[in-house]
Amino acid sequence: MKNGKIRTRTYILALLVIFLPVLANLYSPLLMVEGIKIGIITLSALVFGVWLILSLFLGRSISCGYTCPYGALQEILGRYTNKKPKSKKASQIRYPFFVLFLIIVSYSILKIGGLKGVNLFASNGNPKLVILIPLFILLIGILSLIFGNRAFCKYLCPQGVFLTIGTKLGRKIKIPSLHLKNNHNCSNCELCNKSCPMGLDVNYMVKNDKMENLNCILCGECIENCPKNVINYSFSIKD
Ligand code: SF4
Ligand code: SF4
């Protein structure tokens, strides 16, 4: 049963990578910004809005863990190299990136005097993006090969910071949300650490009963790989 679930997620990731040429625009932060620059909400901005609302209840699970083709590409590559992005300090770099992203978006909206409307495919075919999106795919692939699985997600992704804020907000306003639950019968085998695509020390989280982590994408790999069923999902109001 457990192996079946692991396989299902692997198939989902593989499908996301296969359909990356089609999905790249749909989930592209570049397309979102290019649309905003001309005052238009594009499909990728809409998808991101849905992710943000879902993050209140489901954290980064659906967005980062199960539907982002860029994350899937990094995870598939990361599985081959078996490298993990372990540096906690380096993961702080994403905050200045997030601020820069906010400044660009806010400046663009102010400059054109506010958003003008919705045109889902407004920036498709933009010659700049035809070059930028393949370059972006190449960059995240190289980063994950050099610095480990999901290195871009952990160290740079501004959308991930937005979704973490959404997750925290959900907890703050006390609505039921998805999180990890600790069953306290750990044998310290560290299989959870080996399986975590974000390079988290899950064994430490369990031993210290600190199951919240800003970099956790609630992918469930630690749950499925733990032989003692120590970790589970829980959907409830978090204290
Ligand atoms: S895989 Fe399970 S038993 Fe092994 S260290 Fe992690 S939580 Fe503990
Ligand atoms: S701690 Fe578990 S659920 Fe969170 S990212 Fe790591 S493997 Fe996925």
Side-chain angles (χ1 to χ4, degrees), residues 23-66:
L23 298 171
N25 272 359
L26 191 64
Y27 293 98
S28 167
L30 297 171
L31 183 58
M32 185 164 83
V33 172
E34 284 302 306
I36 287 171
K37 275 186 186 167
I38 52 169
I40 297 294
I41 307 247
T42 56
L43 189 55
S44 54
L46 219 59
V47 167
F48 180 64
V50 172
W51 277 3
L52 200 53
I53 294 167
L54 285 178
S55 71
L56 296 173
F57 307 93
L58 299 171
R60 291 170 64 185
S61 59
I62 297 294
S63 47
C64 307
Y66 285 86

Side-chain angles (χ1 to χ4, degrees), residues 102-119:
L102 270 187
I103 291 171
I104 293 172
V105 168
S106 313
Y107 173 73
S108 303
I109 294 174
L110 284 174
K111 198 174 150 201
I112 47 131
L115 291 171
K116 300 195 184 330
V118 179
N119 182 345

